[in-house]
Amino acid sequence: FKETYDQRHHLCRLRKATLHFSLLGLRDVAPLPRVEALGSAGGTVHAEKPSVTVEVVQFVAPEEQKDAGKARKLEFHFGEAHQDPAKMKRMKPWVSTIHAGSGRAKNFDFLEAGKLQCLLPEKGVLEPYLVIRVSEAPSAVGASLGYEPYSVGEALVSLEDRRPCCWFEGISLNKSYASQQGLLAQAANKSHGQALDKEKYQEETEEELRREILRRRSAAARRGAPKEVAVQDALQAPSDV
């Protein structure tokens, strides 16, 4: 958070954002095992009422998550999404064949949307992402026996290239997009480059780390931080920073 950010201890700020998510549907959901422990050997059954949960990976310590804002998870339930009989008739699931000789898969239309509050890091190198999980609730009998929802699948969607452009350093909302288009392209390329894998990783020596800390503190002092404080912090032992 801006009010708790301390560049001596934090890599970057966390910014509040609202993420809008629309769910068209699920496609080619393969038959599920009747008994998860037995796999297909125990027989299979088609999904009937799948659920989809969407959440953003957390960058907040567990003890702080309860105070970090509103709920950060969306839930879509197929059975609940279409309570209206007329709508349910139009949204009836259908079966498909994934490839020749394969079993029949099932498809579901949700056509639902929602939004959630989240905290995203300013720097793309941390690469925030969405976690999308699909599960099938157990039958009434299975639920009474304590069975948990069966996991159908999971997907991760990067948000690195979906952050607001005004978060990039040097970009101003008071200037037109056209006048900043070149700067935006440079900032986006720089952010993307920071997230790429390196050919090799080598730990910095203590002297290299000292010089880098001094450079950053001096840059902070030029931006307005008290010079004596910036230099003093820079000369701390690396283990104390």
Side-chain angles (χ1 to χ4, degrees):
F1 306 113
K2 183 177 180 180
E3 56 271 18
T4 59
Y5 171 72
D6 186 341
Q7 65 175 353
R8 295 173 300 177
H9 308 294
H10 302 142
L11 180 59
C12 72
R13 289 185 179 91
L14 291 177
R15 289 203 178 193
K16 296 178 181 179
T18 300
L19 188 144
H20 297 260
F21 183 89
S22 59
L23 176 61
L24 174 61
L26 299 174
R27 298 292 179 263
D28 297 329
V29 179
L32 309 174
R34 289 184 181 275
V35 181
E36 185 174 2
L38 298 178
S40 58
T44 59
V45 62
H46 279 295
E48 295 294 336
K49 294 183 178 181
S51 296
V52 179
T53 61
V54 182
E55 57 185 322
V56 178
V57 63
Q58 294 289 330
F59 288 87
V60 180
E63 62 272 14
E64 298 179 7
Q65 288 183 13
K66 61 181 180 180
D67 300 321
K70 299 180 180 179
R72 313 207 190 284
K73 179 186 293 186
L74 287 175
E75 295 185 356
F76 302 93
H77 304 284
F78 183 76
E80 298 177 3
H82 314 302
Q83 295 292 345
D84 180 14
K87 186 176 182 180
M88 188 63 184
K89 186 176 181 179
R90 295 194 303 270
M91 309 292 283
K92 188 176 181 179
W94 76 95
V95 295
S96 60
T97 301
I98 301 177
H99 55 79
S102 70
R104 307 279 278 179
K106 209 162 184 180
N107 303 269
F108 302 86
D109 280 335
F110 281 74
L111 302 184
E112 296 290 321
K115 62 182 180 179
L116 68 155
Q117 305 296 317
C118 56
L119 295 170
L120 300 180
E122 284 184 321
K123 293 187 177 181
V125 66
L126 295 178
E127 195 167 5
Y129 58 88
L130 281 179
V131 183
I132 305 173
R133 296 186 177 93
V134 180
S135 61
E136 172 74 5
S139 64
V141 175
S144 66
L145 296 176
Y147 284 97
E148 298 291 331
Y150 180 83
S151 176
V152 177
E154 177 178 301
L156 304 180
V157 179
S158 175
L159 298 175
E160 189 274 329
D161 58 348
R162 290 173 170 82
R163 291 170 299 139
C165 61
C166 60
W167 287 10
F168 291 126
E169 186 176 358
I171 302 300
S172 173
L173 292 176
N174 297 322
K175 299 179 181 179
S176 67
Y177 172 78
S179 66
Q180 303 179 90
Q181 194 168 2
L183 185 60
L184 277 170
Q186 294 177 8
N189 290 334
K190 180 180 179 181
S191 177
H192 179 69
Q194 291 174 340
L196 294 177
D197 293 336
K198 297 181 179 180
E199 293 185 2
K200 64 178 182 178
Y201 292 87
Q202 183 173 347
E203 185 176 0
E204 296 172 307
T205 65
E206 184 172 323
E207 182 58 31
E208 289 173 335
L209 188 57
R210 277 179 173 277
R211 288 200 299 267
E212 176 63 17
I213 293 172
L214 181 58
R215 184 190 67 79
R216 294 190 181 189
R217 297 297 183 266
S218 298
R222 289 194 297 271
R223 292 195 299 266
K227 183 176 181 181
E228 61 275 8
V229 174
V231 174
Q232 182 179 0
D233 290 341
L235 295 178
Q236 292 179 2
S239 59
D240 297 330
V241 178

